[in-house]
Amino acid sequence: PPSPPPPSPPPPAVDSPPPSPPPATPTTEPTHWDIDWGFSCASPNCPAASRYDVRTCDTVTWTIEDGMHDVVSGPRGAADGHFNSGLLSTGETFTVKFDEAGSYQYHCTPHGTMNAVIVVQGEPCPNSPPTPPLLASSPPPPPPQQPPASPTVTLP
């Protein structure tokens, strides 16, 4: 004899939870990037000795992994004034927020083989002050110093 048909699934319960939401989609929220910056970056196979692609409004923090280094924007020998960490030692950090799209070369002044670039893409950050120009103009010369005035004494 033929077998009976399989039973029908029960109807969904009235108090069933709603279906799961779809998987999250990437957002354009700012991201924080960390770069270890030190002697291991003096070779072409170091990630920091290459190119980083980020979006506007992202921040990048360099952490000095060993020795004394700086993070200076611009090609070697032609700092552009966009950012300069000053000389930092092991464990110290330096952070830059990239508000505008562009290609930002950077290097370590004392170490000729430590060079990299950050490429920033996207619209300018809303509600952010403008990013300094990539090619900084020379600062104005200081005003000439006046000789110190002689003290004035009033006699009665």
Side-chain angles (χ1 to χ4, degrees), residues 27-93:
T27 67
T28 56
E29 291 297 314
T31 301
H32 182 85
W33 302 86
D34 292 299
I35 299 174
D36 290 329
W37 191 235
F39 291 118
S40 69
C41 298
S43 67
N45 60 0
C46 169
S50 60
R51 171 182 160 151
Y52 284 86
D53 292 305
V54 303
R55 302 213 31 93
T56 51
C57 306
D58 286 359
T59 57
V60 175
T61 295
W62 289 264
T63 300
I64 305 305
E65 64 180 5
D66 52 24
M68 300 286 287
H69 305 281
D70 59 7
V71 182
V72 179
S73 65
R76 183 162 301 284
D80 61 24
H82 183 68
F83 54 85
N84 185 336
S85 68
L87 203 56
L88 302 171
S89 61
T90 303
E92 291 185 297
T93 62

Side-chain angles (χ1 to χ4, degrees), residues 118-149:
I118 292 181
V119 177
V120 182
Q121 297 177 348
E123 296 298 317
C125 285
N127 303 320
S128 286
T131 301
L134 289 177
L135 295 175
S137 58
S138 300
Q145 286 192 323
Q146 299 293 328

